Amino acid sequence: QVQLAESGGGLVQAGGSLRLSCAASGRTFSGYAIGWFRQAPGKEREFVAAIDRTGTGTFYTDSAKGRFTISRDNNRNTAYLQMNSLRPEDTAVYYCAAVFGIGWYQGRDTYQYWGQGTQVTVSS
């Protein structure tokens, strides 16, 4: 089992920045790829970014490229999502997820463990 807890969400004006954290406990964090997803009201949960277990491989959805950066610190059992140049359409609950494996993964159904989410609200 891996337990995940997101933090760092909040209310920010358009153009601002937030850094989300995903703290993991339980099994060895460094064996798991991490993904960030988001879900806006009335919409399906969508992929945002993923990172492999070593931190050397990353992948972003088109809307996140150039604005968001995913990273991890395996010594701290924590993953991060740095979000810059935020837009109102980035407003959503953001979730981190973990799956045991050597690559990075985009598919929502691939992930084994999920956090409870943290709310990000971007005002215009």
Side-chain angles (χ1 to χ4, degrees), residues 11-101:
L11 173 64
V12 64
Q13 289 187 332
S17 299
L18 284 173
R19 188 176 81 155
L20 306 183
S21 297
C22 173
S25 61
R27 293 187 178 270
T28 305
F29 179 68
S30 59
Y32 289 79
I34 298 296
W36 283 97
F37 292 76
R38 66 186 182 186
Q39 188 166 18
K43 295 187 177 181
E44 291 191 354
R45 193 170 299 187
E46 65 176 6
F47 171 80
V48 176
I51 190 167
D52 67 12
R53 63 185 185 181
T54 66
T56 57
T58 59
F59 183 76
Y60 300 87
T61 192
D62 286 346
S63 64
K65 287 178 184 176
R67 300 190 300 130
F68 295 2
T69 302
I70 189 171
S71 62
R72 66 189 296 160
D73 184 341
N74 286 344
N75 291 323
R76 295 179 182 271
N77 288 353
T78 304
Y80 305 95
L81 185 67
Q82 176 68 44
M83 305 187 296
N84 299 328
S85 302
L86 282 163
R87 306 165 180 165
E89 53 264 40
D90 294 317
T91 295
V93 177
Y94 282 70
Y95 299 88
C96 65
V99 58
F100 189 80

